[in-house]
Structure formats: C-alpha cells, structure tokens
Amino acid sequence: MVNQNDWRLMGQEDYLLGATLFWQEYKPYSSSWDHDHCVFCFGKFKDGDKGYSTADKNHWICLECFDDFKGKFQWQVGD
C-alpha cells in the first residue's frame, strides 16, 4: 500500500492516471539529449536502460516506482 504522503507523489495523476504503459528500452531523442528521468523518483534513464513509458515516450517510470504505484494509478501494460 502506497503512503499518500510518499515524497514521490507530485500530481502525476493529472497525466498518468489510467495510462497505458510500455516496457521498453530508452533511446535518447537526439545527440544533445542523453538521458531522461523517472517521473516519480527522478532515477536516470540512459541509452539502453529499460523501463516503462507512455506511448509518446514523454514520461518514463522505473521498475521500482511502477511496482509501487501500479495499483494507485490503475495502469495498463501494452504490448
């Protein structure tokens, strides 16, 4: 059960509640953009790392945060 006072919760419900997420490998957007961060814990994703993301790859979620919040956010996992 997630504590409602968890420091990682910062209004992500506005854009992630009920989202479909995809397990995939992170690839930088361009040569000048070499990493991204988990939208919850700010863990770094760099080239070749795997995690969950939205279809547009704008929001990345690490495995630990996915496991912690999947029930609260009612995520679906796409193919």
Side-chain angles (χ1 to χ4, degrees), residues 7-35:
W7 67 271
R8 298 171 293 175
L9 294 173
M10 297 168 275
Q12 295 96 331
E13 294 90 346
D14 293 345
Y15 54 94
L16 287 176
L17 186 63
T20 298
L21 302 176
F22 300 87
W23 177 253
Q24 51 196 333
E25 187 173 309
Y26 177 79
K27 294 290 182 194
Y29 291 105
S30 70
S31 60
S32 64
W33 189 276
D34 68 348
H35 72 278

PDB file of all heavy atoms in Angstrom, residues 7-35:
ATOM      1  N   TRP A   7       6.957  10.968  -0.821  1.00  0.00           N
ATOM      2  CA  TRP A   7       7.621  12.125  -1.426  1.00  0.00           C
ATOM      3  C   TRP A   7       7.616  12.088  -2.948  1.00  0.00           C
ATOM      4  O   TRP A   7       7.752  13.125  -3.598  1.00  0.00           O
ATOM      5  CB  TRP A   7       9.064  12.253  -0.922  1.00  0.00           C
ATOM      6  CG  TRP A   7       9.963  11.129  -1.373  1.00  0.00           C
ATOM      7  CD1 TRP A   7      10.171   9.939  -0.735  1.00  0.00           C
ATOM      8  CD2 TRP A   7      10.755  11.099  -2.555  1.00  0.00           C
ATOM      9  NE1 TRP A   7      11.051   9.161  -1.449  1.00  0.00           N
ATOM     10  CE2 TRP A   7      11.431   9.851  -2.577  1.00  0.00           C
ATOM     11  CE3 TRP A   7      10.967  11.979  -3.605  1.00  0.00           C
ATOM     12  CZ2 TRP A   7      12.294   9.484  -3.607  1.00  0.00           C
ATOM     13  CZ3 TRP A   7      11.831  11.605  -4.628  1.00  0.00           C
ATOM     14  CH2 TRP A   7      12.487  10.369  -4.624  1.00  0.00           C
ATOM     15  N   ARG A   8       7.409  10.910  -3.533  1.00  0.00           N
ATOM     16  CA  ARG A   8       7.433  10.785  -4.998  1.00  0.00           C
ATOM     17  C   ARG A   8       6.136  11.232  -5.661  1.00  0.00           C
ATOM     18  O   ARG A   8       6.095  11.423  -6.869  1.00  0.00           O
ATOM     19  CB  ARG A   8       7.739   9.338  -5.378  1.00  0.00           C
ATOM     20  CG  ARG A   8       9.102   8.865  -4.896  1.00  0.00           C
ATOM     21  CD  ARG A   8       9.282   7.384  -5.103  1.00  0.00           C
ATOM     22  NE  ARG A   8       8.366   6.634  -4.240  1.00  0.00           N
ATOM     23  CZ  ARG A   8       8.211   5.316  -4.266  1.00  0.00           C
ATOM     24  NH1 ARG A   8       8.907   4.574  -5.120  1.00  0.00           N
ATOM     25  NH2 ARG A   8       7.374   4.718  -3.446  1.00  0.00           N
ATOM     26  N   LEU A   9       5.081  11.381  -4.879  1.00  0.00           N
ATOM     27  CA  LEU A   9       3.790  11.787  -5.434  1.00  0.00           C
ATOM     28  C   LEU A   9       3.731  13.307  -5.550  1.00  0.00           C
ATOM     29  O   LEU A   9       3.785  14.014  -4.557  1.00  0.00           O
ATOM     30  CB  LEU A   9       2.645  11.272  -4.566  1.00  0.00           C
ATOM     31  CG  LEU A   9       2.494   9.757  -4.533  1.00  0.00           C
ATOM     32  CD1 LEU A   9       1.442   9.352  -3.509  1.00  0.00           C
ATOM     33  CD2 LEU A   9       2.155   9.224  -5.912  1.00  0.00           C
ATOM     34  N   MET A  10       3.641  13.769  -6.800  1.00  0.00           N
ATOM     35  CA  MET A  10       3.680  15.211  -7.067  1.00  0.00           C
ATOM     36  C   MET A  10       2.675  15.612  -8.138  1.00  0.00           C
ATOM     37  O   MET A  10       2.995  16.361  -9.049  1.00  0.00           O
ATOM     38  CB  MET A  10       5.087  15.619  -7.503  1.00  0.00           C
ATOM     39  CG  MET A  10       6.138  15.394  -6.445  1.00  0.00           C
ATOM     40  SD  MET A  10       7.809  15.552  -7.093  1.00  0.00           S
ATOM     41  CE  MET A  10       8.070  13.895  -7.728  1.00  0.00           C
ATOM     42  N   GLY A  11       1.480  15.054  -8.076  1.00  0.00           N
ATOM     43  CA  GLY A  11       0.450  15.419  -9.040  1.00  0.00           C
ATOM     44  C   GLY A  11       0.494  14.651 -10.350  1.00  0.00           C
ATOM     45  O   GLY A  11      -0.152  15.046 -11.315  1.00  0.00           O
ATOM     46  N   GLN A  12       1.192  13.526 -10.390  1.00  0.00           N
ATOM     47  CA  GLN A  12       1.273  12.740 -11.621  1.00  0.00           C
ATOM     48  C   GLN A  12      -0.076  12.191 -12.059  1.00  0.00           C
ATOM     49  O   GLN A  12      -0.239  11.781 -13.198  1.00  0.00           O
ATOM     50  CB  GLN A  12       2.270  11.588 -11.458  1.00  0.00           C
ATOM     51  CG  GLN A  12       3.704  12.013 -11.243  1.00  0.00           C
ATOM     52  CD  GLN A  12       4.084  12.053  -9.778  1.00  0.00           C
ATOM     53  OE1 GLN A  12       3.260  12.291  -8.898  1.00  0.00           O
ATOM     54  NE2 GLN A  12       5.361  11.825  -9.494  1.00  0.00           N
ATOM     55  N   GLU A  13      -1.064  12.201 -11.154  1.00  0.00           N
ATOM     56  CA  GLU A  13      -2.399  11.729 -11.514  1.00  0.00           C
ATOM     57  C   GLU A  13      -2.948  12.504 -12.714  1.00  0.00           C
ATOM     58  O   GLU A  13      -3.697  11.963 -13.516  1.00  0.00           O
ATOM     59  CB  GLU A  13      -3.379  11.873 -10.341  1.00  0.00           C
ATOM     60  CG  GLU A  13      -3.060  10.997  -9.167  1.00  0.00           C
ATOM     61  CD  GLU A  13      -2.122  11.669  -8.156  1.00  0.00           C
ATOM     62  OE1 GLU A  13      -1.515  12.712  -8.482  1.00  0.00           O
ATOM     63  OE2 GLU A  13      -1.996  11.134  -7.043  1.00  0.00           O
ATOM     64  N   ASP A  14      -2.575  13.751 -12.843  1.00  0.00           N
ATOM     65  CA  ASP A  14      -3.079  14.597 -13.924  1.00  0.00           C
ATOM     66  C   ASP A  14      -2.754  14.045 -15.304  1.00  0.00           C
ATOM     67  O   ASP A  14      -3.500  14.265 -16.243  1.00  0.00           O
ATOM     68  CB  ASP A  14      -2.508  16.018 -13.808  1.00  0.00           C
ATOM     69  CG  ASP A  14      -3.004  16.749 -12.580  1.00  0.00           C
ATOM     70  OD1 ASP A  14      -3.999  16.309 -11.959  1.00  0.00           O
ATOM     71  OD2 ASP A  14      -2.393  17.771 -12.230  1.00  0.00           O
ATOM     72  N   TYR A  15      -1.650  13.321 -15.430  1.00  0.00           N
ATOM     73  CA  TYR A  15      -1.268  12.831 -16.752  1.00  0.00           C
ATOM     74  C   TYR A  15      -0.967  11.329 -16.809  1.00  0.00           C
ATOM     75  O   TYR A  15      -0.733  10.802 -17.888  1.00  0.00           O
ATOM     76  CB  TYR A  15      -0.070  13.629 -17.298  1.00  0.00           C
ATOM     77  CG  TYR A  15       1.127  13.686 -16.383  1.00  0.00           C
ATOM     78  CD1 TYR A  15       2.158  12.770 -16.515  1.00  0.00           C
ATOM     79  CD2 TYR A  15       1.234  14.658 -15.400  1.00  0.00           C
ATOM     80  CE1 TYR A  15       3.264  12.814 -15.684  1.00  0.00           C
ATOM     81  CE2 TYR A  15       2.336  14.723 -14.568  1.00  0.00           C
ATOM     82  CZ  TYR A  15       3.350  13.802 -14.716  1.00  0.00           C
ATOM     83  OH  TYR A  15       4.439  13.860 -13.891  1.00  0.00           O
ATOM     84  N   LEU A  16      -1.019  10.636 -15.672  1.00  0.00           N
ATOM     85  CA  LEU A  16      -0.718   9.198 -15.690  1.00  0.00           C
ATOM     86  C   LEU A  16      -1.825   8.295 -15.178  1.00  0.00           C
ATOM     87  O   LEU A  16      -1.723   7.077 -15.307  1.00  0.00           O
ATOM     88  CB  LEU A  16       0.564   8.920 -14.893  1.00  0.00           C
ATOM     89  CG  LEU A  16       1.868   9.352 -15.553  1.00  0.00           C
ATOM     90  CD1 LEU A  16       3.043   9.107 -14.619  1.00  0.00           C
ATOM     91  CD2 LEU A  16       2.081   8.623 -16.865  1.00  0.00           C
ATOM     92  N   LEU A  17      -2.878   8.836 -14.610  1.00  0.00           N
ATOM     93  CA  LEU A  17      -3.958   8.004 -14.092  1.00  0.00           C
ATOM     94  C   LEU A  17      -4.615   7.240 -15.238  1.00  0.00           C
ATOM     95  O   LEU A  17      -5.057   7.832 -16.230  1.00  0.00           O
ATOM     96  CB  LEU A  17      -4.997   8.853 -13.362  1.00  0.00           C
ATOM     97  CG  LEU A  17      -6.101   8.068 -12.646  1.00  0.00           C
ATOM     98  CD1 LEU A  17      -5.507   7.199 -11.538  1.00  0.00           C
ATOM     99  CD2 LEU A  17      -7.128   9.023 -12.069  1.00  0.00           C
ATOM    100  N   GLY A  18      -4.637   5.915 -15.130  1.00  0.00           N
ATOM    101  CA  GLY A  18      -5.257   5.061 -16.140  1.00  0.00           C
ATOM    102  C   GLY A  18      -4.477   4.947 -17.441  1.00  0.00           C
ATOM    103  O   GLY A  18      -4.992   4.416 -18.424  1.00  0.00           O
ATOM    104  N   ALA A  19      -3.236   5.375 -17.447  1.00  0.00           N
ATOM    105  CA  ALA A  19      -2.428   5.356 -18.677  1.00  0.00           C
ATOM    106  C   ALA A  19      -2.061   3.931 -19.084  1.00  0.00           C
ATOM    107  O   ALA A  19      -1.992   3.027 -18.254  1.00  0.00           O
ATOM    108  CB  ALA A  19      -1.155   6.168 -18.473  1.00  0.00           C
ATOM    109  N   THR A  20      -1.821   3.755 -20.362  1.00  0.00           N
ATOM    110  CA  THR A  20      -1.244   2.521 -20.873  1.00  0.00           C
ATOM    111  C   THR A  20       0.253   2.754 -20.985  1.00  0.00           C
ATOM    112  O   THR A  20       0.690   3.731 -21.602  1.00  0.00           O
ATOM    113  CB  THR A  20      -1.825   2.152 -22.246  1.00  0.00           C
ATOM    114  OG1 THR A  20      -3.234   1.936 -22.101  1.00  0.00           O
ATOM    115  CG2 THR A  20      -1.177   0.897 -22.803  1.00  0.00           C
ATOM    116  N   LEU A  21       1.019   1.875 -20.375  1.00  0.00           N
ATOM    117  CA  LEU A  21       2.473   1.988 -20.369  1.00  0.00           C
ATOM    118  C   LEU A  21       3.096   0.837 -21.126  1.00  0.00           C
ATOM    119  O   LEU A  21       2.497  -0.234 -21.255  1.00  0.00           O
ATOM    120  CB  LEU A  21       2.993   2.003 -18.932  1.00  0.00           C
ATOM    121  CG  LEU A  21       2.456   3.110 -18.039  1.00  0.00           C
ATOM    122  CD1 LEU A  21       2.988   2.942 -16.615  1.00  0.00           C
ATOM    123  CD2 LEU A  21       2.813   4.481 -18.588  1.00  0.00           C
ATOM    124  N   PHE A  22       4.302   1.060 -21.608  1.00  0.00           N
ATOM    125  CA  PHE A  22       5.004   0.073 -22.413  1.00  0.00           C
ATOM    126  C   PHE A  22       6.393  -0.167 -21.832  1.00  0.00           C
ATOM    127  O   PHE A  22       7.111   0.792 -21.536  1.00  0.00           O
ATOM    128  CB  PHE A  22       5.126   0.554 -23.861  1.00  0.00           C
ATOM    129  CG  PHE A  22       3.794   0.781 -24.501  1.00  0.00           C
ATOM    130  CD1 PHE A  22       3.149   2.006 -24.372  1.00  0.00           C
ATOM    131  CD2 PHE A  22       3.168  -0.234 -25.202  1.00  0.00           C
ATOM    132  CE1 PHE A  22       1.905   2.218 -24.951  1.00  0.00           C
ATOM    133  CE2 PHE A  22       1.923  -0.031 -25.777  1.00  0.00           C
ATOM    134  CZ  PHE A  22       1.294   1.189 -25.650  1.00  0.00           C
ATOM    135  N   TRP A  23       6.768  -1.446 -21.656  1.00  0.00           N
ATOM    136  CA  TRP A  23       8.106  -1.814 -21.200  1.00  0.00           C
ATOM    137  C   TRP A  23       9.015  -1.695 -22.414  1.00  0.00           C
ATOM    138  O   TRP A  23       8.811  -2.355 -23.428  1.00  0.00           O
ATOM    139  CB  TRP A  23       8.098  -3.238 -20.664  1.00  0.00           C
ATOM    140  CG  TRP A  23       9.440  -3.739 -20.240  1.00  0.00           C
ATOM    141  CD1 TRP A  23      10.212  -4.652 -20.895  1.00  0.00           C
ATOM    142  CD2 TRP A  23      10.163  -3.373 -19.059  1.00  0.00           C
ATOM    143  NE1 TRP A  23      11.370  -4.867 -20.198  1.00  0.00           N
ATOM    144  CE2 TRP A  23      11.375  -4.094 -19.061  1.00  0.00           C
ATOM    145  CE3 TRP A  23       9.916  -2.495 -18.011  1.00  0.00           C
ATOM    146  CZ2 TRP A  23      12.323  -3.968 -18.058  1.00  0.00           C
ATOM    147  CZ3 TRP A  23      10.866  -2.369 -17.007  1.00  0.00           C
ATOM    148  CH2 TRP A  23      12.044  -3.102 -17.035  1.00  0.00           C
ATOM    149  N   GLN A  24       9.992  -0.806 -22.344  1.00  0.00           N
ATOM    150  CA  GLN A  24      10.858  -0.610 -23.498  1.00  0.00           C
ATOM    151  C   GLN A  24      12.224  -0.067 -23.109  1.00  0.00           C
ATOM    152  O   GLN A  24      12.440   0.360 -21.983  1.00  0.00           O
ATOM    153  CB  GLN A  24      10.198   0.296 -24.517  1.00  0.00           C
ATOM    154  CG  GLN A  24       9.658   1.601 -24.030  1.00  0.00           C
ATOM    155  CD  GLN A  24       8.701   2.192 -25.056  1.00  0.00           C
ATOM    156  OE1 GLN A  24       8.803   1.930 -26.238  1.00  0.00           O
ATOM    157  NE2 GLN A  24       7.775   2.997 -24.602  1.00  0.00           N
ATOM    158  N   GLU A  25      13.096  -0.094 -24.085  1.00  0.00           N
ATOM    159  CA  GLU A  25      14.455   0.390 -23.911  1.00  0.00           C
ATOM    160  C   GLU A  25      14.507   1.880 -24.201  1.00  0.00           C
ATOM    161  O   GLU A  25      13.949   2.343 -25.196  1.00  0.00           O
ATOM    162  CB  GLU A  25      15.378  -0.365 -24.863  1.00  0.00           C
ATOM    163  CG  GLU A  25      16.838  -0.084 -24.675  1.00  0.00           C
ATOM    164  CD  GLU A  25      17.693  -0.995 -25.542  1.00  0.00           C
ATOM    165  OE1 GLU A  25      17.488  -2.222 -25.503  1.00  0.00           O
ATOM    166  OE2 GLU A  25      18.552  -0.456 -26.263  1.00  0.00           O
ATOM    167  N   TYR A  26      15.184   2.600 -23.332  1.00  0.00           N
ATOM    168  CA  TYR A  26      15.312   4.041 -23.525  1.00  0.00           C
ATOM    169  C   TYR A  26      16.320   4.349 -24.625  1.00  0.00           C
ATOM    170  O   TYR A  26      17.418   3.805 -24.657  1.00  0.00           O
ATOM    171  CB  TYR A  26      15.760   4.724 -22.229  1.00  0.00           C
ATOM    172  CG  TYR A  26      15.960   6.198 -22.408  1.00  0.00           C
ATOM    173  CD1 TYR A  26      14.880   7.070 -22.429  1.00  0.00           C
ATOM    174  CD2 TYR A  26      17.223   6.730 -22.600  1.00  0.00           C
ATOM    175  CE1 TYR A  26      15.049   8.430 -22.632  1.00  0.00           C
ATOM    176  CE2 TYR A  26      17.408   8.083 -22.799  1.00  0.00           C
ATOM    177  CZ  TYR A  26      16.313   8.926 -22.816  1.00  0.00           C
ATOM    178  OH  TYR A  26      16.496  10.270 -23.018  1.00  0.00           O
ATOM    179  N   LYS A  27      15.945   5.224 -25.521  1.00  0.00           N
ATOM    180  CA  LYS A  27      16.817   5.744 -26.574  1.00  0.00           C
ATOM    181  C   LYS A  27      16.735   7.261 -26.513  1.00  0.00           C
ATOM    182  O   LYS A  27      15.630   7.821 -26.484  1.00  0.00           O
ATOM    183  CB  LYS A  27      16.368   5.266 -27.964  1.00  0.00           C
ATOM    184  CG  LYS A  27      16.501   3.783 -28.181  1.00  0.00           C
ATOM    185  CD  LYS A  27      17.952   3.401 -28.271  1.00  0.00           C
ATOM    186  CE  LYS A  27      18.103   1.917 -28.544  1.00  0.00           C
ATOM    187  NZ  LYS A  27      19.435   1.443 -28.318  1.00  0.00           N
ATOM    188  N   PRO A  28      17.870   7.948 -26.492  1.00  0.00           N
ATOM    189  CA  PRO A  28      17.851   9.420 -26.448  1.00  0.00           C
ATOM    190  C   PRO A  28      17.132  10.005 -27.661  1.00  0.00           C
ATOM    191  O   PRO A  28      17.160   9.439 -28.751  1.00  0.00           O
ATOM    192  CB  PRO A  28      19.328   9.794 -26.471  1.00  0.00           C
ATOM    193  CG  PRO A  28      20.066   8.567 -26.059  1.00  0.00           C
ATOM    194  CD  PRO A  28      19.217   7.412 -26.485  1.00  0.00           C
ATOM    195  N   TYR A  29      16.489  11.157 -27.444  1.00  0.00           N
ATOM    196  CA  TYR A  29      15.766  11.836 -28.521  1.00  0.00           C
ATOM    197  C   TYR A  29      16.708  12.368 -29.587  1.00  0.00           C
ATOM    198  O   TYR A  29      16.374  12.434 -30.751  1.00  0.00           O
ATOM    199  CB  TYR A  29      14.936  12.996 -27.957  1.00  0.00           C
ATOM    200  CG  TYR A  29      13.776  12.550 -27.124  1.00  0.00           C
ATOM    201  CD1 TYR A  29      13.808  12.639 -25.745  1.00  0.00           C
ATOM    202  CD2 TYR A  29      12.639  12.022 -27.717  1.00  0.00           C
ATOM    203  CE1 TYR A  29      12.728  12.226 -24.970  1.00  0.00           C
ATOM    204  CE2 TYR A  29      11.563  11.598 -26.962  1.00  0.00           C
ATOM    205  CZ  TYR A  29      11.619  11.710 -25.584  1.00  0.00           C
ATOM    206  OH  TYR A  29      10.564  11.290 -24.833  1.00  0.00           O
ATOM    207  N   SER A  30      17.877  12.814 -29.178  1.00  0.00           N
ATOM    208  CA  SER A  30      18.855  13.368 -30.119  1.00  0.00           C
ATOM    209  C   SER A  30      20.242  13.254 -29.496  1.00  0.00           C
ATOM    210  O   SER A  30      20.383  12.874 -28.325  1.00  0.00           O
ATOM    211  CB  SER A  30      18.538  14.840 -30.410  1.00  0.00           C
ATOM    212  OG  SER A  30      18.802  15.645 -29.279  1.00  0.00           O
ATOM    213  N   SER A  31      21.256  13.625 -30.245  1.00  0.00           N
ATOM    214  CA  SER A  31      22.626  13.546 -29.721  1.00  0.00           C
ATOM    215  C   SER A  31      22.857  14.552 -28.592  1.00  0.00           C
ATOM    216  O   SER A  31      23.774  14.393 -27.790  1.00  0.00           O
ATOM    217  CB  SER A  31      23.636  13.766 -30.842  1.00  0.00           C
ATOM    218  OG  SER A  31      23.438  15.033 -31.426  1.00  0.00           O
ATOM    219  N   SER A  32      22.030  15.572 -28.506  1.00  0.00           N
ATOM    220  CA  SER A  32      22.181  16.561 -27.436  1.00  0.00           C
ATOM    221  C   SER A  32      21.327  16.220 -26.208  1.00  0.00           C
ATOM    222  O   SER A  32      21.379  16.910 -25.203  1.00  0.00           O
ATOM    223  CB  SER A  32      21.822  17.960 -27.952  1.00  0.00           C
ATOM    224  OG  SER A  32      20.463  18.003 -28.327  1.00  0.00           O
ATOM    225  N   TRP A  33      20.532  15.161 -26.304  1.00  0.00           N
ATOM    226  CA  TRP A  33      19.641  14.738 -25.207  1.00  0.00           C
ATOM    227  C   TRP A  33      20.043  13.329 -24.831  1.00  0.00           C
ATOM    228  O   TRP A  33      19.653  12.371 -25.483  1.00  0.00           O
ATOM    229  CB  TRP A  33      18.197  14.768 -25.703  1.00  0.00           C
ATOM    230  CG  TRP A  33      17.173  14.557 -24.633  1.00  0.00           C
ATOM    231  CD1 TRP A  33      16.735  13.358 -24.138  1.00  0.00           C
ATOM    232  CD2 TRP A  33      16.447  15.556 -23.937  1.00  0.00           C
ATOM    233  NE1 TRP A  33      15.784  13.550 -23.183  1.00  0.00           N
ATOM    234  CE2 TRP A  33      15.584  14.904 -23.041  1.00  0.00           C
ATOM    235  CE3 TRP A  33      16.437  16.941 -23.977  1.00  0.00           C
ATOM    236  CZ2 TRP A  33      14.721  15.590 -22.199  1.00  0.00           C
ATOM    237  CZ3 TRP A  33      15.570  17.615 -23.151  1.00  0.00           C
ATOM    238  CH2 TRP A  33      14.727  16.948 -22.274  1.00  0.00           C
ATOM    239  N   ASP A  34      20.827  13.180 -23.745  1.00  0.00           N
ATOM    240  CA  ASP A  34      21.400  11.863 -23.477  1.00  0.00           C
ATOM    241  C   ASP A  34      20.721  11.070 -22.374  1.00  0.00           C
ATOM    242  O   ASP A  34      21.099   9.937 -22.113  1.00  0.00           O
ATOM    243  CB  ASP A  34      22.892  11.994 -23.182  1.00  0.00           C
ATOM    244  CG  ASP A  34      23.181  12.717 -21.877  1.00  0.00           C
ATOM    245  OD1 ASP A  34      22.259  13.328 -21.297  1.00  0.00           O
ATOM    246  OD2 ASP A  34      24.333  12.665 -21.424  1.00  0.00           O
ATOM    247  N   HIS A  35      19.726  11.640 -21.693  1.00  0.00           N
ATOM    248  CA  HIS A  35      19.056  10.888 -20.635  1.00  0.00           C
ATOM    249  C   HIS A  35      17.681  11.486 -20.337  1.00  0.00           C
ATOM    250  O   HIS A  35      17.338  12.552 -20.827  1.00  0.00           O
ATOM    251  CB  HIS A  35      19.904  10.861 -19.358  1.00  0.00           C
ATOM    252  CG  HIS A  35      19.965  12.172 -18.642  1.00  0.00           C
ATOM    253  ND1 HIS A  35      20.832  13.172 -19.014  1.00  0.00           N
ATOM    254  CD2 HIS A  35      19.259  12.651 -17.592  1.00  0.00           C
ATOM    255  CE1 HIS A  35      20.655  14.221 -18.206  1.00  0.00           C
ATOM    256  NE2 HIS A  35      19.701  13.925 -17.334  1.00  0.00           N
TER     257      HIS A  35
END
